[in-house]
Amino acid sequence: MRESTLMQMQYVTAVLAVLLVGVHLLMQGVLVPYGEAVSFQRVLSVYRDAVDGALLEILLVVVLAHGFNGLRTILIEWRQTPSWTRGVNWAVLVAALATMAYGTRTVILAATGQVS
Amino acid sequence: MAGEEVVLKIRRFDPSLDERPRVEAFAVPLKEGMTVLDALIYVKSRLDHGLAVRFSCRMASCGSCGMKIDGRARLACETQISSLPRGAVAVEPMDNFPIVRDLVVDLERFFARHAAAMPGLVRERDPEEQESPTGEYLMAPGELESFVQFTYCIKCGLCSSSCPTASTDALFPGPQALSQAYRFLADPRDEGEERRLERVDAEHGVWRCHFAGTCSAVCPKGVDPALGIQLLKRHVMSARSPFGRKKRRGAPVFPNPNGDLLGQP
């Protein structure tokens, strides 16, 4: 993938993350009182709502893509050998996909009532 | 002024002899209008012939005498001693370059990166026009204004020496090469866009600039390489995107009605 494509993704995910984290924080303490927002049943109900659950999944993917790409940028600036750069690219891709898969699994389990 | 002296604290280092750099102080009689280069020439001619310092034009035109003066990258020939804080003047070689000896640094990699930016017009459709010009390439004044400041670069290396990314990423081309790449990408006469984009849109290319802006702060010619890099980023994004605004390419030749460019009929 071209570096400009990755940077484009970085800019888009940054904007989306600001919006989605903003909505998330509103729901976690402004529109809904904090103590109520983090209660177990309330959290489960958020996952089970189609729109809120979808927003959580999008937030997960956006933040992970942005964060791991940022980590990749830091690491490839740290050392400059081709093998290091190649290794970092693959390691970060695998780590990002694994974390996304684990997070998505949690969203699916909670949304489908397999957590109670 | 008469009878006053300025002390230059010069960092000396010969990689073939010395284990580490040392600082030597030289007292130089101060004259009105004296530049740091004048003082260094005094040191070299009267006090220590072995001092290695590179200079040529003495008028901020050739870019040879770049060095660090009182901690900031400057041209020695245009730095008046009276413009510096009172007291001893610290003179060191530029950062981010291998030291040849004393204040002389090795610019080979710097010029190689400049060459890698392909600093010349690339014409695919009429390469013979560059060898045997029959007229002028048509370009609007506004198009020239979009890149003209980057043509003032004298390749002194001060921007690259003060760049924090260049000091940590050995493969980063540096602000000089990147702003020169933009200078030709923005030029409507040029047709080498794809080849240049491949070189700058890389893992250690234009995107590694953190926009510290030190390159622009130290440029002795008032060029803004940091702006050039930001414009280059925008250019890359536009060129790569199907929705991006594309620059005009391959300005046509306007035949010279008076014959060729040498005035021959």
Side-chain angles (χ1 to χ4, degrees):
Chain A
M1 194 180 282
R2 280 189 179 127
E3 201 63 18
S4 54
T5 310
L6 287 170
M7 288 309 296
Q8 213 161 16
M9 184 194 80
Q10 193 73 347
Y11 297 149
V12 170
T13 53
V15 173
L16 285 175
V18 168
L19 295 174
L20 291 168
V21 170
V23 170
H24 186 66
L25 291 177
L26 278 177
M27 301 299 288
Q28 289 292 83
V30 180
L31 298 180
V32 181
Y34 180 73
E36 186 186 329
V38 296
S39 70
F40 188 70
Q41 289 308 320
R42 162 80 190 171
V43 170
L44 279 185
S45 72
V46 170
Y47 279 108
R48 284 171 188 160
D49 183 272
V51 175
D52 288 350
L55 281 177
L56 276 176
E57 176 63 22
I58 295 170
L59 176 63
L60 172 81
V61 171
V62 161
V63 169
L64 285 178
H66 188 81
F68 274 103
N69 193 32
L71 176 66
R72 170 192 155 274
T73 302
I74 292 168
L75 290 175
I76 63 171
E77 284 183 22
W78 188 29
R79 290 177 63 186
Q80 293 99 39
T81 61
S83 56
W84 171 262
T85 304
R86 213 170 28 248
V88 164
N89 283 340
W90 280 108
V92 167
L93 180 65
V94 170
L97 290 176
T99 317
M100 275 179 207
Y102 186 76
T104 303
R105 170 186 166 275
T106 305
V107 172
I108 291 171
L109 287 178
T112 53
Q114 296 179 62
V115 177
S116 57
Chain B
M1 185 69 67
E4 276 189 66
E5 286 186 335
V6 62
V7 173
L8 297 188
K9 288 188 169 177
I10 304 175
R11 195 164 82 175
R12 311 292 301 273
F13 183 55
D14 183 343
S16 63
L17 298 174
D18 304 328
E19 280 188 15
R20 61 176 68 90
R22 64 189 188 283
V23 175
E24 289 184 3
F26 298 91
V28 177
L30 201 52
K31 289 181 183 170
E32 193 171 350
M34 189 178 225
T35 65
V36 173
L37 182 60
D38 293 335
L40 288 169
I41 292 171
Y42 182 91
V43 171
K44 187 172 175 63
S45 60
R46 305 279 183 89
L47 306 178
D48 185 345
H49 304 320
L51 175 68
V53 54
R54 183 190 283 137
F55 61 93
S56 183
C57 74
R58 309 188 198 191
M59 49 186 277
S61 193
C62 70
S64 301
C65 62
M67 57 189 71
K68 220 163 77 174
I69 299 167
D70 272 353
R72 184 189 170 105
R74 311 173 203 246
L75 291 182
C77 69
E78 70 159 8
T79 305
Q80 298 267 324
I81 288 176
S82 60
S83 71
L84 300 170
R86 293 189 73 84
V89 177
V91 185
E92 302 162 273
M94 288 194 288
D95 290 330
N96 300 343
F97 292 99
I99 295 173
V100 175
R101 190 155 65 86
D102 297 338
L103 302 175
V104 178
V105 295
D106 184 355
L107 294 168
E108 193 175 334
R109 197 172 60 179
F110 174 76
F111 287 124
R113 285 174 174 167
H114 175 66
M118 302 165 62
L121 288 182
V122 176
R123 296 287 291 191
E124 309 286 355
R125 72 177 80 170
D126 53 2
E128 69 284 353
E129 178 65 22
Q130 286 185 297
E131 299 300 322
S132 310
T134 59
E136 301 172 24
Y137 297 119
L138 277 182
M139 181 166 56
E143 290 175 318
L144 175 64
E145 283 171 17
S146 69
F147 66 83
V148 70
Q149 68 156 307
F150 304 108
T151 67
Y152 301 147
C153 171
I154 57 173
K155 295 168 268 303
C156 59
L158 296 186
C159 55
S160 291
S161 82
S162 61
C163 171
T165 306
S167 70
T168 53
D169 187 339
L171 300 179
F172 183 62
Q176 193 277 338
L178 290 173
S179 58
Q180 288 306 298
Y182 174 72
R183 175 253 175 274
F184 285 96
L185 281 167
D187 193 321
R189 300 169 297 176
D190 185 73
E191 293 176 328
E193 181 173 54
E194 201 44 51
R195 285 158 65 191
R196 284 199 183 84
L197 289 184
E198 284 303 318
R199 295 183 181 196
V200 300
D201 186 13
E203 279 155 334
H204 294 277
V206 63
W207 306 106
R208 297 291 80 81
C209 168
H210 296 202
F211 202 29
T214 47
C215 51
S216 301
V218 301
C219 179
K221 305 306 286 184
V223 180
D224 191 348
L227 171 68
I229 295 174
Q230 295 306 104
L231 293 172
L232 178 59
K233 288 177 179 174
R234 187 171 74 177
H235 187 105
V236 174
M237 285 292 187
S238 297
R240 297 292 197 212
S241 164
F243 311 108
R245 192 164 62 92
K246 304 292 186 286
K247 289 268 181 187
R248 187 164 75 89
R249 290 276 140 234
V253 176
F254 179 70
N256 186 345
N258 299 318
D260 68 19
L261 292 182
L262 296 174
Q264 301 298 317

